Amino acid sequence: MMRSTPAVSLHLKNIAEGAARSVSDFLRGSFRSNHEVSYKRDFRDVVTEADQEAERRIIEYILAHEPDSTILGEEGGQVGNGAVRWFIDPIDGTGNFSAGVAFWCVSIAAAIDGEVVAAVVYDPIAETLFAADLSGSTLNGQAIRAVGPTEEARAVLTTNYPAPRQVNRDGDRVVLLWGELVRSFFAVKRIGSAALSLCYVANGWYAATLSTAVNSWDVAAASFILKQAGGRYRPLMPLAPGQQDFHSSAYYGTVADADYPSLDRVCSQIVEIELEALAAREASQQ
């Protein structure tokens, strides 16, 4: 049985980097080209043929270099039944990719016994590769630390909150919470990639990030990179037994030593609203 050791962590990180780089030319060639766009849940949940082909190639690369793998991809579901569990998002920020906005990435994480031990987040356009193993986090091979402003008034926050479904469901309640963040932080930005947002915090380019509509493959890699860089990652929604922090559908991440009371307060209210909605949905199904 494969065990988590520094050598194994490094081995899996190298595979993740190789897999991410193996699709870089393909994705750069597909970006801002004529590609078909289809939709999953609604008109905002887009997928391109580039997502599907990149995921196929990444899976092929991983299985060739580590056959003892189980791979969970955003587009194709689960492949394999091995000891190493991989979480793949071939294009995190597909909305940006499909619109020709150069802020998207490839995200790959490897876990053993439920714990992420290696991760890569690669931006093929900017050629920035964030990576982490058990020894720490790097950007293009250089060690990084999550250091930034400790006060909200000097900090830049990225967020996808509120999502359209939250505005439709909760109206002014969520708009007012967003307004509190705008008033409290130096700047609040919506940039369209959860993985890159977390990595930018890991390197101190942004100070905090908040998201309330993510899946495990969106953040498994980047949350590990942030934590290995010394940053804070807090899941907001309750976790089921055996789940790890990256399984939460809502989270926030900050640089080390951040003191952001408004963010804490808003996140507490977000959780309250989401749990109320969940209880109401469950009651309606009984």
Side-chain angles (χ1 to χ4, degrees), residues 34-52:
N34 293 323
H35 47 254
E36 269 193 46
V37 175
S38 55
Y39 305 91
K40 293 185 273 190
R41 289 173 299 180
D42 57 36
F43 69 91
R44 295 185 181 90
D45 192 6
V46 299
V47 62
T48 71
E49 73 274 15
D51 293 82
Q52 296 161 338

Side-chain angles (χ1 to χ4, degrees), residues 19-272:
R21 291 192 184 279
S22 74
V23 296
S24 61
D25 288 344
F26 166 71
L27 289 175
R28 279 193 292 264
S30 300
F31 183 53
R32 293 176 179 164
S33 66
N34 293 323
H35 47 254
E36 269 193 46
V37 175
S38 55
Y39 305 91
K40 293 185 273 190
R41 289 173 299 180
D42 57 36
F43 69 91
R44 295 185 181 90
D45 192 6
V46 299
V47 62
T48 71
E49 73 274 15
D51 293 82
Q52 296 161 338
E53 177 61 17
E55 181 169 297
R56 185 194 67 76
R57 295 187 186 195
I58 290 169
I59 291 172
E60 185 178 83
Y61 185 98
I62 289 173
L63 291 177
H65 290 80
E66 182 49 69
D68 189 15
S69 293
T70 301
I71 303 174
L72 180 64
E74 178 176 13
E75 308 307 332
Q78 183 170 311
V79 176
N81 191 32
V84 183
R85 189 168 181 84
W86 300 83
F87 297 86
I88 297 172
D89 193 344
I91 305 177
D92 184 64
T94 302
N96 286 344
F97 180 90
S98 66
V101 177
F103 198 84
W104 50 271
C105 63
V106 181
S107 176
I108 304 174
I112 297 177
D113 295 330
E115 297 282 349
V116 174
V117 298
V120 162
V121 171
Y122 180 48
D123 177 346
I125 301 300
E127 294 189 348
T128 52
L129 187 136
F130 295 91
D133 57 23
L134 294 178
S135 68
S137 295
T138 59
L139 168 58
N140 292 341
Q142 300 298 310
I144 58 174
R145 299 296 294 171
V147 176
T150 58
E151 300 175 355
E152 289 175 334
R154 296 174 52 236
V156 177
L157 167 73
T158 72
T159 184
N160 73 344
Y161 184 81
R165 65 170 179 80
Q166 291 165 319
V167 175
N168 292 337
R169 187 189 66 199
D170 304 309
D172 289 346
R173 293 178 73 188
V174 297
V175 175
L176 289 172
L177 291 178
W178 179 81
E180 184 171 349
L181 295 174
V182 171
R183 286 192 298 271
S184 301
F185 281 84
F186 175 76
V188 176
K189 299 181 180 293
R190 298 176 73 97
I191 55 179
S193 168
L196 279 179
S197 295
L198 283 163
C199 289
Y200 276 36
V201 175
N203 198 40
W205 291 340
Y206 291 135
T209 183
L210 162 67
S211 189
T212 59
V214 296
N215 297 292
S216 57
W217 50 77
D218 297 314
V219 294
S223 61
F224 182 67
I225 291 168
L226 174 61
K227 290 183 291 186
Q228 290 299 95
R232 296 167 52 203
Y233 183 84
R234 178 187 167 190
L236 297 179
M237 299 303 290
L239 297 169
Q243 286 189 321
Q244 304 301 316
D245 55 10
F246 60 85
H247 287 106
S248 175
S249 61
Y251 67 88
Y252 75 75
T254 70
V255 294
D257 301 322
D259 181 20
Y260 301 157
S262 297
L263 181 60
D264 288 329
R265 185 166 55 253
V266 167
C267 285
S268 294
Q269 293 180 66
I270 289 172
V271 172
E272 182 179 322

